[in-house]
Amino acid sequence: MKTFTTCDVRLFLWIVQRPRARRIAGVFRWISRLGDGYLYLAAGLGLALFEPVRGPYFLAAGLLAFALELPLYLLLKHTIRRPRPNHALGQVSAFITPSDTFSFPSGHSAAAFVTATLVGHVYPAFLLPALGLAFLISLSRVILRVHYPTDILAGTTLGISCTVSALLLIPGGAP
């Protein structure tokens, strides 16, 4: 486990200590804000209201996926209690102030991949842009120095798993 953590920290430091990482942090602040959550609900409600064929299914499946993801995310975060990089590594200062103390798993990554997975299922033509945005939101959390790469991987896995589970629980409604 120690070797795995060492590799994770080394990869984190390699990413954040690139000269370009500091220069692009401002752009990634905005990208990170796209994953704050309010846009996901707005998109679901908008689709349910204005796209009557698949929109209501998208909203229902999304609400269920987030109802599965959020408690699991909180349970993991408060059970594992991994300190954020800026608290654990003295030489690293975060570019933003995160909403809580712990880093594992990344809630932004989980939510972004809940949405991307759902978009890909209900609107397959938009899968690649949705995955691209989810990837950028996840990467932003490392660039902004508030998550390690494994936090992102765990959040991604959590988001995809909860969405697949929700889609299995809500039959029909989508292609």
Side-chain angles (χ1 to χ4, degrees):
M1 184 67 164
K2 185 176 181 179
T3 303
F4 185 76
T5 302
T6 301
C7 290
D8 194 28
V9 170
R10 284 184 181 161
L11 179 57
F12 169 80
L13 290 172
W14 183 82
I15 293 168
V16 303
Q17 290 176 341
R18 309 266 47 91
R20 183 175 290 175
R22 182 175 289 283
R23 290 192 304 264
I24 62 175
V27 172
F28 276 92
R29 276 189 188 101
W30 288 104
I31 293 170
S32 179
R33 286 186 183 143
L34 293 173
D36 285 350
Y38 56 90
L39 288 177
Y40 302 132
L41 181 58
L45 290 171
L47 286 169
L49 289 171
F50 300 111
E51 201 280 288
V53 176
R54 292 178 272 174
Y57 176 81
F58 183 91
L59 178 62
L63 289 173
L64 180 56
F66 278 108
L68 296 171
E69 179 268 329
L70 187 57
L72 288 171
Y73 155 78
L74 291 171
L75 177 68
L76 288 168
K77 188 160 274 222
H78 293 289
T79 301
I80 295 169
R81 302 173 64 91
R82 182 182 195 184
R84 290 191 184 269
N86 58 310
H87 295 128
L89 307 173
Q91 75 269 31
V92 174
S93 296
F95 289 125
I96 61 171
T97 303
S99 61
D100 60 37
T101 306
F102 305 118
S103 73
F104 186 93
S106 166
H108 276 74
S109 296
F113 278 92
V114 161
T115 305
T117 305
L118 186 58
V119 166
H121 178 74
V122 180
Y123 303 103
F126 296 99
L127 174 63
L128 289 180
L131 287 174
L133 182 57
F135 174 78
L136 287 173
I137 289 169
S138 297
L139 178 62
S140 77
R141 306 303 286 171
V142 177
I143 296 291
L144 295 174
R145 302 177 172 186
V146 294
H147 282 290
Y148 296 99
T150 53
D151 301 340
I152 302 308
L153 182 60
T156 299
T157 303
L158 178 63
I160 292 169
S161 299
C162 289
T163 305
V164 169
S165 297
L167 292 170
L168 292 171
L169 291 170
I170 297 182

